[in-house]
Amino acid sequence: MNAIDPMNYEKIVFFTGAGMSAESGIPTYRGRGGVWKQYNWEEYACQDAFNDDPRKVLKFHELRRKAVLECEPHAGHHVIARLAKSHSGITVVTQNIDGMHQRAGNRNILELHGSLWRLRCPTHGIFEDIGETYERYRCEQCDAWLRPDIVWFGDSLDPEITRMSVISIAQCDLFVSIGTSGVVWPAAGYPEVARKNGAFCIEINPELNQMSHLYDESIRQTAGNALPLIFPEH
Ligand code: NAD
């Protein structure tokens, strides 16, 4: 694995999945200790569950928030945040909802699957809410239940976030995918978008997956080990 000088690239996309947060202590969904091995998503992570029992769904998401707040961003998150401060062409496209990139100090994040740290009123829009428990369960203006602004099972992705993500990926000359298994669509198609447009594509993942053949280089290490080695501080 060779070090990369980010200044040799005009536009860089870091594309992150659940494995990016694994070393912070946040479990991946499918792997060992995964959330959906313990909880039935049909009861906690879809619109029907929320319609049936919003309080139960909100309480479940409070548990998730508490678990995430007990974790800290790791060296890999800090490397990306450091690069974004010195290089204006960096975009992070993430499938994660945990807000770890932001907690490391990064701001330019496209969150494909929403965020644990926002709530949404069907009429009055989206509210940031960052405590361990939600400040309120109901909209102050219309009293509707506020739902987590997360893409649940059966939901569509936000078309504007998707559009901006695809544009960033199509325009980048370096694409670094970190900790994603390549099974959740449309995100699984993003390496192909980058590759078609001529970007140099790197994968950081300790395990091989069905998209690994699309990368110019696969680094079989964890995010926290690989990122500081690939992008050393000068
Ligand atoms: P996934 O669970 O399907 O796959 C995780 C991938 O990360 C695997 O390929 C695994 O080999 C790799 N990995 C594990 N540890 C790693 C490490 N230390 N460094 C680098 N790679 C590592 O995750 P996915 O592809 O992101 O898809 C799952 C979906 O679940 C996504 O849509 C995501 O939104 C959601 N999710 C989010 C979080 C979060 O917010 N932290 C956590 C779990 C799942």
Side-chain angles (χ1 to χ4, degrees), residues 101-176:
H101 288 295
Q102 288 90 333
R103 274 173 62 194
N106 207 326
R107 290 290 162 259
N108 191 14
I109 317 284
L110 294 169
E111 293 175 307
L112 285 169
H113 295 161
S115 170
L116 259 179
W117 311 105
R118 292 193 301 265
L119 285 168
R120 192 164 83 211
C121 166
T123 312
H124 295 101
I126 294 170
F127 307 85
E128 192 170 67
D129 181 319
I130 54 173
E132 184 175 311
T133 53
Y134 291 112
E135 250 176 64
R136 59 185 62 85
Y137 282 179
R138 287 172 177 267
C139 176
E140 270 186 320
Q141 293 167 74
C142 68
D143 204 38
W145 286 96
L146 295 169
R147 67 154 273 182
D149 187 32
I150 291 172
V151 179
W152 283 333
F153 291 90
D155 290 345
S156 307
L157 300 193
D158 179 322
E160 185 54 17
I161 300 286
T162 308
R163 192 184 70 82
M164 290 193 300
S165 300
V166 173
I167 289 174
S168 303
I169 292 166
Q171 292 180 344
C172 73
D173 47 359
L174 177 63
F175 179 77
V176 186

Side-chain angles (χ1 to χ4, degrees), residues 194-215:
R195 193 182 143 91
K196 272 206 179 118
N197 290 285
F200 188 67
C201 297
I202 300 177
E203 168 189 46
I204 300 174
N205 193 321
E207 286 172 30
L208 184 83
N209 63 63
Q210 59 193 23
M211 296 296 167
S212 292
H213 65 281
L214 293 173
Y215 293 90

Side-chain angles (χ1 to χ4, degrees), residues 1-233:
M1 175 183 32
N2 294 321
I4 289 178
D5 182 350
M7 294 306 168
N8 289 340
Y9 296 89
E10 207 176 314
K11 292 192 172 156
I12 304 175
V13 169
F14 289 95
F15 174 54
T16 65
M20 178 75 210
S21 296
E23 287 155 282
S24 290
I26 300 172
T28 57
Y29 281 3
R30 292 176 186 74
R32 217 174 335 121
V35 176
W36 304 130
K37 293 216 159 94
Q38 206 184 336
Y39 294 94
N40 181 2
W41 64 261
E42 284 149 320
E43 283 179 59
Y44 299 101
C46 63
Q47 186 65 45
D48 284 349
F50 185 73
N51 295 344
D52 284 352
D53 193 342
R55 189 178 295 278
K56 174 175 162 181
V57 169
L58 286 161
K59 291 240 171 260
F60 168 76
H61 285 80
E62 285 181 335
L63 285 180
R64 306 284 308 123
R65 283 154 70 103
K66 183 172 186 299
V68 169
L69 285 176
E70 283 163 7
C71 301
E72 294 293 333
H74 60 69
H77 292 107
H78 290 297
V79 166
I80 298 174
R82 164 171 60 78
L83 295 175
K85 284 192 183 109
S86 58
H87 189 306
S88 59
I90 288 180
T91 305
V92 177
V93 178
T94 189
Q95 298 170 84
N96 297 343
I97 58 170
D98 57 30
M100 287 307 231
H101 288 295
Q102 288 90 333
R103 274 173 62 194
N106 207 326
R107 290 290 162 259
N108 191 14
I109 317 284
L110 294 169
E111 293 175 307
L112 285 169
H113 295 161
S115 170
L116 259 179
W117 311 105
R118 292 193 301 265
L119 285 168
R120 192 164 83 211
C121 166
T123 312
H124 295 101
I126 294 170
F127 307 85
E128 192 170 67
D129 181 319
I130 54 173
E132 184 175 311
T133 53
Y134 291 112
E135 250 176 64
R136 59 185 62 85
Y137 282 179
R138 287 172 177 267
C139 176
E140 270 186 320
Q141 293 167 74
C142 68
D143 204 38
W145 286 96
L146 295 169
R147 67 154 273 182
D149 187 32
I150 291 172
V151 179
W152 283 333
F153 291 90
D155 290 345
S156 307
L157 300 193
D158 179 322
E160 185 54 17
I161 300 286
T162 308
R163 192 184 70 82
M164 290 193 300
S165 300
V166 173
I167 289 174
S168 303
I169 292 166
Q171 292 180 344
C172 73
D173 47 359
L174 177 63
F175 179 77
V176 186
S177 158
I178 309 161
T180 179
S181 59
V183 296
V184 178
W185 286 84
Y190 290 169
E192 186 74 62
V193 174
R195 193 182 143 91
K196 272 206 179 118
N197 290 285
F200 188 67
C201 297
I202 300 177
E203 168 189 46
I204 300 174
N205 193 321
E207 286 172 30
L208 184 83
N209 63 63
Q210 59 193 23
M211 296 296 167
S212 292
H213 65 281
L214 293 173
Y215 293 90
D216 298 296
E217 196 173 333
S218 289
I219 297 164
R220 299 273 163 248
Q221 290 201 30
T222 66
N225 284 337
L227 282 162
L229 294 172
I230 304 174
F231 299 103
E233 207 161 353

